[in-house]
Amino acid sequence: MQPDFEKAGGLVAAIAQDADSGQVLMIAWMNREAWEETLRSKRAVYYSRSRGKLWRKGEESGHVQEVREVYVDCDADTILLKVKQVGGAACHEGYASCFFRKVEGDDVKVVGERVFDPKQVYRK
Amino acid sequence: MQPDFEKAGGLVAAIAQDADSGQVLMIAWMNREAWEETLRSKRAVYYSRSRGKLWRKGEESGHVQEVREVYVDCDADTILLKVKQVGGAACHEGYASCFFRKVEGDDVKVVGERVFDPKQVYRK
């Protein structure tokens, strides 16, 4: 079964969830090529909208996502990956999850702890 | 803190996750109005792209999502809601989660159990 890339204009949203803890790590996008390579390689491959090309998660940082389980939603236009996040952090800011900011009324609180220092990992 | 609706063309993706079990229930979309009403009412309000209007989750079925926690991601263009799903099923097909189909190689397996019969809940 394929996600319906046509309906969604070529890209579908993909959630990465930690397979062990259940923590939601991030959302990214996949085109058909990213989807097929993800299934084949068992590593998460997304499509970077900002860079306009495939994004093999971890290709720069080494923090790849090993794909344990793959789900497609009822409308076949969203994907859920259960992954093992190598390095312990999915977020380019060094947090385990990209959702490290909690909204409480008008306030926002950082609730995650930094696993790594982005300056050390992404050397430009 | 507001999600960046401008960057995202007016809509941002929102994940609903069961606050207790950690199960990912669904993805939907929010515009600014949906976001503000969600925070105010503490019930999930989305924007239906197919219907082109606000979608107060559960308005027809009674299966509302009580919002326990709200997170915004690093790029401020995705939302994570931790919710209590009233009725036990987020999916309009009667499953707890919209991600009830697991992809295994070329096969797809239904892994969720039906909580309700859609024909009984959505009387047209």
Side-chain angles (χ1 to χ4, degrees):
Chain A
M1 187 185 140
Q2 293 279 320
D4 189 345
F5 293 102
E6 277 63 42
K7 186 176 74 179
L11 296 180
V12 302
I15 305 170
Q17 180 182 29
D18 187 282
D20 294 321
S21 70
Q23 185 176 26
V24 173
L25 302 176
M26 56 182 283
I27 284 191
W29 302 87
M30 285 190 186
N31 62 3
R32 186 184 303 277
E33 198 183 346
W35 163 254
E36 287 172 355
E37 186 172 322
T38 296
L39 291 188
R40 203 164 55 232
S41 68
K42 296 192 166 51
R43 287 190 173 180
V45 178
Y46 303 108
Y47 179 84
S48 168
R49 294 181 300 175
S50 59
R51 285 174 277 167
K53 61 173 189 172
L54 285 195
W55 167 32
R56 294 173 180 89
K57 172 72 180 162
E59 60 193 351
E60 195 180 348
S61 63
H63 298 163
V64 301
Q65 292 176 338
E66 296 170 1
V67 175
R68 299 278 177 81
E69 297 176 7
V70 178
Y71 298 82
V72 175
D73 81 340
C74 48
D75 295 327
D77 61 3
T78 318
I79 294 160
L80 172 65
L81 303 178
K82 297 203 181 183
V83 305
K84 175 175 162 53
Q85 174 64 63
V86 171
C91 183
H92 71 290
E93 295 198 27
Y95 295 90
S97 163
C98 292
F99 297 96
F100 59 83
R101 290 187 298 205
K102 188 173 178 185
V103 178
E104 298 187 336
D106 291 334
D107 291 335
V108 177
K109 208 163 64 176
V110 171
V111 294
E113 283 191 22
R114 271 219 158 104
V115 176
F116 67 77
D117 176 356
K119 287 196 206 75
Q120 296 298 314
V121 170
Y122 302 99
R123 297 156 191 265
K124 301 289 177 187
Chain B
M1 187 187 140
Q2 294 279 321
D4 189 345
F5 293 102
E6 278 63 42
K7 184 176 75 178
L11 296 179
V12 301
I15 306 169
Q17 181 182 28
D18 188 281
D20 295 321
S21 71
Q23 186 176 27
V24 173
L25 301 176
M26 56 182 283
I27 284 192
W29 303 87
M30 285 191 186
N31 62 2
R32 186 185 302 278
E33 198 183 347
W35 163 254
E36 288 174 354
E37 186 173 321
T38 296
L39 292 187
R40 206 165 52 234
S41 69
K42 297 192 165 51
R43 286 189 174 180
V45 178
Y46 303 108
Y47 180 84
S48 167
R49 294 181 299 176
S50 58
R51 285 175 278 168
K53 61 173 188 172
L54 285 195
W55 167 31
R56 293 173 181 90
K57 172 73 181 159
E59 59 194 351
E60 195 180 348
S61 63
H63 299 163
V64 300
Q65 292 176 337
E66 297 171 359
V67 175
R68 298 277 177 80
E69 296 175 8
V70 178
Y71 297 82
V72 175
D73 81 339
C74 49
D75 294 328
D77 61 3
T78 318
I79 295 160
L80 172 64
L81 304 178
K82 298 203 180 184
V83 306
K84 175 178 163 51
Q85 175 64 62
V86 171
C91 182
H92 71 290
E93 295 198 27
Y95 294 91
S97 163
C98 292
F99 297 96
F100 59 83
R101 289 187 299 206
K102 189 173 177 186
V103 178
E104 298 186 337
D106 290 335
D107 291 336
V108 177
K109 206 165 64 177
V110 171
V111 293
E113 283 192 20
R114 273 221 157 103
V115 177
F116 68 77
D117 176 358
K119 289 198 205 73
Q120 296 299 315
V121 169
Y122 302 100
R123 296 156 192 268
K124 301 288 174 189

